[in-house]
mmCIF file of all heavy atoms in Angstrom:
data_model
loop_
_atom_site.group_PDB
_atom_site.id
_atom_site.type_symbol
_atom_site.label_atom_id
_atom_site.label_comp_id
_atom_site.label_asym_id
_atom_site.label_seq_id
_atom_site.Cartn_x
_atom_site.Cartn_y
_atom_site.Cartn_z
ATOM 1 N N ASP A 333 -13.962 28.746 38.422
ATOM 2 C CA ASP A 333 -14.567 29.921 39.059
ATOM 3 C C ASP A 333 -15.825 30.372 38.324
ATOM 4 O O ASP A 333 -16.818 30.764 38.946
ATOM 5 C CB ASP A 333 -13.553 31.066 39.122
ATOM 6 C CG ASP A 333 -12.440 30.803 40.125
ATOM 7 O OD1 ASP A 333 -12.615 29.907 40.976
ATOM 8 O OD2 ASP A 333 -11.399 31.483 40.052
ATOM 9 N N GLU A 334 -15.787 30.309 36.991
ATOM 10 C CA GLU A 334 -16.962 30.695 36.199
ATOM 11 C C GLU A 334 -18.147 29.784 36.505
ATOM 12 O O GLU A 334 -19.290 30.240 36.618
ATOM 13 C CB GLU A 334 -16.608 30.637 34.710
ATOM 14 C CG GLU A 334 -17.730 31.042 33.786
ATOM 15 C CD GLU A 334 -17.335 30.952 32.314
ATOM 16 O OE1 GLU A 334 -16.126 31.060 32.016
ATOM 17 O OE2 GLU A 334 -18.238 30.759 31.473
ATOM 18 N N MET A 335 -17.899 28.486 36.652
ATOM 19 C CA MET A 335 -18.980 27.554 36.942
ATOM 20 C C MET A 335 -19.477 27.708 38.383
ATOM 21 O O MET A 335 -20.671 27.553 38.661
ATOM 22 C CB MET A 335 -18.524 26.117 36.669
ATOM 23 C CG MET A 335 -18.320 25.806 35.194
ATOM 24 S SD MET A 335 -19.806 26.086 34.179
ATOM 25 C CE MET A 335 -19.356 27.632 33.351
ATOM 26 N N ARG A 336 -18.584 28.029 39.296
ATOM 27 C CA ARG A 336 -19.023 28.315 40.670
ATOM 28 C C ARG A 336 -19.951 29.533 40.683
ATOM 29 O O ARG A 336 -20.968 29.547 41.386
ATOM 30 C CB ARG A 336 -17.812 28.577 41.569
ATOM 31 C CG ARG A 336 -17.004 27.334 41.931
ATOM 32 C CD ARG A 336 -15.905 27.699 42.916
ATOM 33 N NE ARG A 336 -15.033 26.590 43.244
ATOM 34 C CZ ARG A 336 -15.280 25.677 44.180
ATOM 35 N NH1 ARG A 336 -16.402 25.766 44.891
ATOM 36 N NH2 ARG A 336 -14.426 24.696 44.411
ATOM 37 N N ALA A 337 -19.578 30.531 39.901
ATOM 38 C CA ALA A 337 -20.406 31.736 39.831
ATOM 39 C C ALA A 337 -21.778 31.426 39.231
ATOM 40 O O ALA A 337 -22.804 31.951 39.690
ATOM 41 C CB ALA A 337 -19.693 32.811 39.006
ATOM 42 N N LEU A 338 -21.815 30.567 38.219
ATOM 43 C CA LEU A 338 -23.090 30.194 37.610
ATOM 44 C C LEU A 338 -23.946 29.416 38.609
ATOM 45 O O LEU A 338 -25.163 29.634 38.698
ATOM 46 C CB LEU A 338 -22.861 29.368 36.349
ATOM 47 C CG LEU A 338 -24.130 28.880 35.631
ATOM 48 C CD1 LEU A 338 -25.023 30.063 35.236
ATOM 49 C CD2 LEU A 338 -23.767 28.050 34.410
ATOM 50 N N ALA A 339 -23.339 28.509 39.361
ATOM 51 C CA ALA A 339 -24.095 27.755 40.376
ATOM 52 C C ALA A 339 -24.720 28.704 41.391
ATOM 53 O O ALA A 339 -25.872 28.525 41.814
ATOM 54 C CB ALA A 339 -23.175 26.745 41.067
ATOM 55 N N SER A 340 -23.971 29.753 41.746
ATOM 56 C CA SER A 340 -24.489 30.749 42.687
ATOM 57 C C SER A 340 -25.632 31.547 42.061
ATOM 58 O O SER A 340 -26.666 31.791 42.704
ATOM 59 C CB SER A 340 -23.364 31.689 43.115
ATOM 60 O OG SER A 340 -23.838 32.688 43.991
ATOM 61 N N GLU A 341 -25.460 31.917 40.805
ATOM 62 C CA GLU A 341 -26.497 32.668 40.085
ATOM 63 C C GLU A 341 -27.787 31.867 39.988
ATOM 64 O O GLU A 341 -28.890 32.413 40.091
ATOM 65 C CB GLU A 341 -25.981 33.025 38.687
ATOM 66 C CG GLU A 341 -26.962 33.770 37.815
ATOM 67 C CD GLU A 341 -26.432 33.970 36.408
ATOM 68 O OE1 GLU A 341 -25.201 34.122 36.239
ATOM 69 O OE2 GLU A 341 -27.249 33.942 35.451
ATOM 70 N N LEU A 342 -27.659 30.555 39.799
ATOM 71 C CA LEU A 342 -28.826 29.679 39.685
ATOM 72 C C LEU A 342 -29.387 29.284 41.053
ATOM 73 O O LEU A 342 -30.372 28.541 41.123
ATOM 74 C CB LEU A 342 -28.447 28.411 38.901
ATOM 75 C CG LEU A 342 -28.044 28.613 37.432
ATOM 76 C CD1 LEU A 342 -27.484 27.315 36.852
ATOM 77 C CD2 LEU A 342 -29.235 29.094 36.605
ATOM 78 N N LYS A 343 -28.711 29.766 42.112
ATOM 79 C CA LYS A 343 -29.100 29.461 43.496
ATOM 80 C C LYS A 343 -29.071 27.957 43.785
ATOM 81 O O LYS A 343 -29.927 27.415 44.492
ATOM 82 C CB LYS A 343 -30.485 30.049 43.811
ATOM 83 C CG LYS A 343 -30.583 31.554 43.598
ATOM 84 C CD LYS A 343 -31.902 32.112 44.077
ATOM 85 C CE LYS A 343 -32.058 33.586 43.727
ATOM 86 N NZ LYS A 343 -30.921 34.428 44.139
ATOM 87 N N THR A 344 -28.076 27.301 43.215
ATOM 88 C CA THR A 344 -27.902 25.861 43.439
ATOM 89 C C THR A 344 -26.619 25.550 44.201
ATOM 90 O O THR A 344 -26.290 24.380 44.385
ATOM 91 C CB THR A 344 -27.858 25.105 42.093
ATOM 92 O OG1 THR A 344 -26.752 25.592 41.315
ATOM 93 C CG2 THR A 344 -29.149 25.286 41.318
ATOM 94 N N GLU A 345 -25.905 26.599 44.648
ATOM 95 C CA GLU A 345 -24.583 26.361 45.234
ATOM 96 C C GLU A 345 -24.629 25.431 46.446
ATOM 97 O O GLU A 345 -23.657 24.720 46.727
ATOM 98 C CB GLU A 345 -23.894 27.682 45.602
ATOM 99 C CG GLU A 345 -24.568 28.493 46.708
ATOM 100 C CD GLU A 345 -25.588 29.482 46.173
ATOM 101 O OE1 GLU A 345 -26.256 29.178 45.171
ATOM 102 O OE2 GLU A 345 -25.727 30.563 46.778
ATOM 103 N N GLY A 346 -25.769 25.379 47.138
ATOM 104 C CA GLY A 346 -25.875 24.480 48.287
ATOM 105 C C GLY A 346 -26.008 23.026 47.900
ATOM 106 O O GLY A 346 -25.815 22.133 48.735
ATOM 107 N N ASN A 347 -26.313 22.769 46.634
ATOM 108 C CA ASN A 347 -26.482 21.393 46.147
ATOM 109 C C ASN A 347 -25.427 20.998 45.118
ATOM 110 O O ASN A 347 -25.513 19.901 44.561
ATOM 111 C CB ASN A 347 -27.865 21.224 45.509
ATOM 112 C CG ASN A 347 -29.004 21.377 46.495
ATOM 113 O OD1 ASN A 347 -29.298 22.480 46.936
ATOM 114 N ND2 ASN A 347 -29.651 20.276 46.838
ATOM 115 N N VAL A 348 -24.473 21.875 44.840
ATOM 116 C CA VAL A 348 -23.442 21.597 43.835
ATOM 117 C C VAL A 348 -22.081 21.579 44.517
ATOM 118 O O VAL A 348 -21.738 22.499 45.276
ATOM 119 C CB VAL A 348 -23.453 22.652 42.710
ATOM 120 C CG1 VAL A 348 -22.305 22.415 41.740
ATOM 121 C CG2 VAL A 348 -24.787 22.608 41.966
ATOM 122 N N PHE A 349 -21.297 20.539 44.226
ATOM 123 C CA PHE A 349 -20.008 20.348 44.881
ATOM 124 C C PHE A 349 -18.907 20.149 43.837
ATOM 125 O O PHE A 349 -19.037 19.323 42.938
ATOM 126 C CB PHE A 349 -20.083 19.139 45.823
ATOM 127 C CG PHE A 349 -21.130 19.291 46.882
ATOM 128 C CD1 PHE A 349 -22.449 18.912 46.628
ATOM 129 C CD2 PHE A 349 -20.826 19.854 48.110
ATOM 130 C CE1 PHE A 349 -23.437 19.082 47.586
ATOM 131 C CE2 PHE A 349 -21.815 20.027 49.083
ATOM 132 C CZ PHE A 349 -23.113 19.636 48.816
ATOM 133 N N PHE A 350 -17.851 20.926 43.968
ATOM 134 C CA PHE A 350 -16.697 20.841 43.080
ATOM 135 C C PHE A 350 -15.593 20.084 43.809
ATOM 136 O O PHE A 350 -15.088 20.556 44.827
ATOM 137 C CB PHE A 350 -16.210 22.239 42.696
ATOM 138 C CG PHE A 350 -17.168 23.021 41.840
ATOM 139 C CD1 PHE A 350 -18.277 23.656 42.408
ATOM 140 C CD2 PHE A 350 -16.969 23.125 40.473
ATOM 141 C CE1 PHE A 350 -19.162 24.378 41.621
ATOM 142 C CE2 PHE A 350 -17.855 23.843 39.673
ATOM 143 C CZ PHE A 350 -18.955 24.470 40.252
ATOM 144 N N THR A 351 -15.221 18.918 43.296
ATOM 145 C CA THR A 351 -14.218 18.096 43.983
ATOM 146 C C THR A 351 -12.812 18.310 43.461
ATOM 147 O O THR A 351 -11.854 17.791 44.036
ATOM 148 C CB THR A 351 -14.563 16.595 43.857
ATOM 149 O OG1 THR A 351 -14.430 16.195 42.490
ATOM 150 C CG2 THR A 351 -15.972 16.315 44.337
ATOM 151 N N GLY A 352 -12.647 19.041 42.353
ATOM 152 C CA GLY A 352 -11.331 19.180 41.757
ATOM 153 C C GLY A 352 -10.929 17.903 41.036
ATOM 154 O O GLY A 352 -11.778 17.047 40.725
ATOM 155 N N ARG A 353 -9.647 17.767 40.764
ATOM 156 C CA ARG A 353 -9.151 16.569 40.076
ATOM 157 C C ARG A 353 -9.465 15.326 40.903
ATOM 158 O O ARG A 353 -9.187 15.275 42.091
ATOM 159 C CB ARG A 353 -7.638 16.680 39.838
ATOM 160 C CG ARG A 353 -7.039 15.453 39.163
ATOM 161 C CD ARG A 353 -5.688 15.793 38.560
ATOM 162 N NE ARG A 353 -4.776 16.367 39.524
ATOM 163 C CZ ARG A 353 -3.947 15.660 40.296
ATOM 164 N NH1 ARG A 353 -3.958 14.340 40.238
ATOM 165 N NH2 ARG A 353 -3.134 16.263 41.127
ATOM 166 N N CYS A 354 -10.055 14.348 40.253
ATOM 167 C CA CYS A 354 -10.494 13.142 40.960
ATOM 168 C C CYS A 354 -9.391 12.089 40.950
ATOM 169 O O CYS A 354 -9.072 11.514 39.916
ATOM 170 C CB CYS A 354 -11.761 12.590 40.312
ATOM 171 S SG CYS A 354 -12.490 11.236 41.239
ATOM 172 N N GLU A 355 -8.814 11.845 42.109
ATOM 173 C CA GLU A 355 -7.743 10.865 42.219
ATOM 174 C C GLU A 355 -8.272 9.431 42.248
ATOM 175 O O GLU A 355 -7.570 8.499 41.895
ATOM 176 C CB GLU A 355 -6.921 11.125 43.495
ATOM 177 C CG GLU A 355 -6.199 12.460 43.514
ATOM 178 C CD GLU A 355 -4.968 12.465 42.650
ATOM 179 O OE1 GLU A 355 -4.685 11.430 42.016
ATOM 180 O OE2 GLU A 355 -4.291 13.514 42.596
ATOM 181 N N ASN A 356 -9.508 9.273 42.715
ATOM 182 C CA ASN A 356 -10.060 7.922 42.848
ATOM 183 C C ASN A 356 -11.485 7.906 42.312
ATOM 184 O O ASN A 356 -12.455 8.040 43.055
ATOM 185 C CB ASN A 356 -10.027 7.468 44.314
ATOM 186 C CG ASN A 356 -10.273 5.977 44.450
ATOM 187 O OD1 ASN A 356 -11.037 5.384 43.686
ATOM 188 N ND2 ASN A 356 -9.624 5.360 45.414
ATOM 189 N N VAL A 357 -11.602 7.756 40.989
ATOM 190 C CA VAL A 357 -12.918 7.798 40.357
ATOM 191 C C VAL A 357 -13.782 6.622 40.803
ATOM 192 O O VAL A 357 -15.004 6.728 40.881
ATOM 193 C CB VAL A 357 -12.780 7.845 38.818
ATOM 194 C CG1 VAL A 357 -12.261 6.520 38.269
ATOM 195 C CG2 VAL A 357 -14.099 8.212 38.160
ATOM 196 N N ALA A 358 -13.162 5.494 41.147
ATOM 197 C CA ALA A 358 -13.927 4.312 41.567
ATOM 198 C C ALA A 358 -14.746 4.618 42.820
ATOM 199 O O ALA A 358 -15.929 4.258 42.911
ATOM 200 C CB ALA A 358 -12.989 3.135 41.814
ATOM 201 N N GLU A 359 -14.139 5.287 43.790
ATOM 202 C CA GLU A 359 -14.847 5.583 45.027
ATOM 203 C C GLU A 359 -15.924 6.643 44.807
ATOM 204 O O GLU A 359 -17.012 6.561 45.393
ATOM 205 C CB GLU A 359 -13.862 6.022 46.109
ATOM 206 C CG GLU A 359 -12.955 4.887 46.561
ATOM 207 C CD GLU A 359 -12.119 5.261 47.773
ATOM 208 O OE1 GLU A 359 -12.263 6.394 48.280
ATOM 209 O OE2 GLU A 359 -11.315 4.431 48.228
#
Side-chain angles (χ1 to χ4, degrees):
D333 289 344
E334 181 181 334
M335 291 302 105
R336 286 185 184 275
L338 178 58
S340 178
E341 178 186 327
L342 295 171
K343 303 187 186 309
T344 60
E345 65 269 34
N347 295 73
V348 175
F349 301 87
F350 293 79
T351 67
R353 178 162 55 89
C354 187
E355 296 284 1
N356 194 326
V357 70
E359 292 188 1

